[in-house]
Amino acid sequence: VPFNVEAGQSAPLSWSIQVPADFTGAVSWQIFADGNQYRDGEESTVPVVTNRMLVTETLPITVRGGQSKHFTFDKLKGKNSPSLVPERYTLEFTSNPAWYVVQSLPYLMEYPHQCSEQVFSRFYANTLASSVTEKLPAIRRVYERWKGTAAMESNLSKNQELKYALLEETPWVMEARQESQQRQQIALLFDLNRMADERESALSILRDRQTSSGGWPWFSGGRESWYITQYIVEGLGHLQHLDAFEVQKDPKTANMLDKALAFCDAELEKQYREIEKAVQKGETKWEDDHLGSMEIHYLYTRSFFPADRINKIQAYYLEQAQRYWLGKGLYQEGMLALALQRSGRKDAALKITNSLRERAQEKEELGMYWAFDWGYYWYNLPIETQALMVEVFDEVANDAKAVENLRIWLLKNKQTNRWESTKATASAVYALLLHGENWLQNTQTVQVSLGNKPLQPTEIEPGSGYFKETYEKTAIKPEMGDIQVNNPNSQIVWGAAYWQYFEDLDKIETFKKTPLTIEKTLTKLENTSGGPKSTPITDQAVLKVGDKVQVRLEIRVDRPMEYVHLKDMRAAGFEPVDVLSTYRWQDGLGYYQSTKDLATHFFIDYLPRGVYVLQYNMVASARGDMSNGITTLQCMYAPEFTSHSKGIRVKIK
């Protein structure tokens, strides 16, 4: 492009480049000027980003035991734009998800700390794991067939081709490695001698650490703690209740338990004497509500080891439980129901259970659950609460159907969550494996048909019955969008269909067919004489260089999920205001925000159930008519839960 510039002046210079549709490299340009004595020049490289991307759309599939269902992948069967090019169609299924619980067992045996709670948790986990493997001998046989297969990999590592982000691009590489290592250590479950030695070592530490009063401190040398002591006694009660450990068989352990129960009784008496003093001073009345969280925990813990005769103090708090149970929170109400049931107050226990049933939510896919008041106290944890409810409806209501629905929620929770808490894992394992029907005994493979053609899996994972079939572009037919699933087993099963295709960014339509959805809006921000003004940006809107634009991302999810990745693409003419990658907190959600050249990434460790709005600002920096790309949202732990926004174009003058 030749040009002339007058002395002391400047001149604009521009040219057009025709970019082939399949070009994805970079273009270098040079500009130079020659004079009589000097020559000056400049060179720069401009990356060319394709206007097409690989889009992944999913159809999560869940079928209850003994059911047959038909599912339709509407987008695959529907009429699509001429520019859409199919790439891959994948179907995966897990015939028995209960085996994923077995893969969680090795995690219970790894504890880095030596506080009394963790020492006991090591004993509890080893004892529970030993009991499970002894009662369910099929676990050992399946493990032998798992060796060296994908069954030992973390869910974060699997199915990379179906995810929008590579694992190496996320902050969760170490989490995937840790989960894979834990699964590799499942062989430790079958080393019964080693586990017996570790159990005896943990009990020995607890005996040495127990104070003369019978209580345990949190850490060695500290003051005895009422909660820690009751936590240990409650755990011993659980193990005895599950026939995993007989406390009375070992005199040393029996003596340790007796001292601990005496300490708990003494602590309850202290609370009672405080009330007595307050009543004498006229500050309160005996009939007022004096039922606190520790008293509730005491009643539940003591119910595992009832005294020969209920004394006056225990009777008073049981009366309090009958009168003031409502409003104590789900976990504590469940504890009170079991405590009242075991003390002979069955009508009161049934009243609590009926109330819990009335407040529960029930869905065919998710089972029976509650809108948990999630928090950091010991009685605000959803997995532990759900596991306790299995015990409540099994023992108090004797309701097999409710127990099955409660276990379904726990199993579906494992689909999208890793269960990092040792206490949660232990609670869920005993609720799923040692209550209700033994789902691990179901061995039949789910029967799947695509377009009336039965699917014949080439490789099936032992135990879980997991299989995956992939069809490349030439083999994909619209009739494959009709999926018929028959579940011959008694437990719930799940799977998903994935359709992947290439499409122009501005022709991609919104996809919100899963329980995890994203909606994106762009807004132009202005300061006017009447105050701040915001105007939605559509395909027809025209911006100017320097305009401020706000991105609004609305996330909706109907269940808790871990390891969620959100990628928000932006037009080449936009520059983000926040360019530093950092951890942020917005609208009650914590996440790591990473700004890249083409998109802004959000890495969400834990996404609770609910609706969340994330916002950030950009500035229009270069003119042009550009595609703004799409926003994708995906659970990396369960990639079948995905969503993306619609592609639009933006014009900047």
Side-chain angles (χ1 to χ4, degrees), residues 282-346:
E283 298 171 353
T284 187
K285 299 177 182 177
W286 283 112
E287 56 269 23
D288 290 345
D289 183 1
H290 299 293
L291 195 63
S293 60
M294 289 306 302
E295 289 84 353
I296 293 172
H297 194 204
Y298 170 88
L299 293 176
Y300 174 67
T301 301
R302 203 62 168 94
S303 70
F304 287 104
F305 307 101
D308 294 335
R309 186 174 59 85
I310 296 176
N311 61 35
K312 180 180 72 172
I313 297 174
Q314 292 168 345
Y316 170 74
Y317 281 106
L318 286 169
E319 290 294 330
Q320 286 267 300
Q322 286 183 257
R323 182 180 296 183
Y324 294 113
W325 58 267
L326 189 60
K328 295 298 183 183
L330 291 170
Y331 193 74
Q332 296 182 94
E333 287 176 16
M335 283 183 161
L336 290 173
L338 289 165
L340 290 168
Q341 172 78 9
R342 293 166 185 171
S343 66
R345 294 165 167 80
K346 296 184 178 181

Side-chain angles (χ1 to χ4, degrees), residues 141-181:
R141 295 193 296 270
V142 171
Y143 166 71
E144 293 299 327
R145 299 171 65 192
W146 276 349
K147 287 181 179 179
T149 69
M152 309 305 283
E153 294 179 10
S154 165
N155 285 15
L156 286 168
S157 305
K158 293 179 181 177
N159 294 330
Q160 287 295 302
E161 76 280 7
L162 301 175
K163 299 176 181 178
Y164 278 110
L166 294 174
L167 180 62
E168 288 73 15
E169 297 176 316
T170 75
W172 304 314
V173 176
M174 291 303 296
E175 282 85 347
R177 191 174 301 166
Q178 288 168 4
E179 187 172 32
S180 296
Q181 289 172 349

Side-chain angles (χ1 to χ4, degrees), residues 372-401:
F372 290 105
D373 184 19
W374 195 90
Y376 290 97
Y377 290 104
W378 59 268
Y379 48 81
N380 288 142
L381 301 171
I383 303 299
E384 290 87 328
T385 301
Q386 188 78 9
L388 182 77
M389 292 304 170
V390 173
E391 194 175 357
V392 169
F393 280 84
D394 187 20
E395 186 174 333
V396 179
N398 195 24
D399 188 339
K401 184 180 178 182

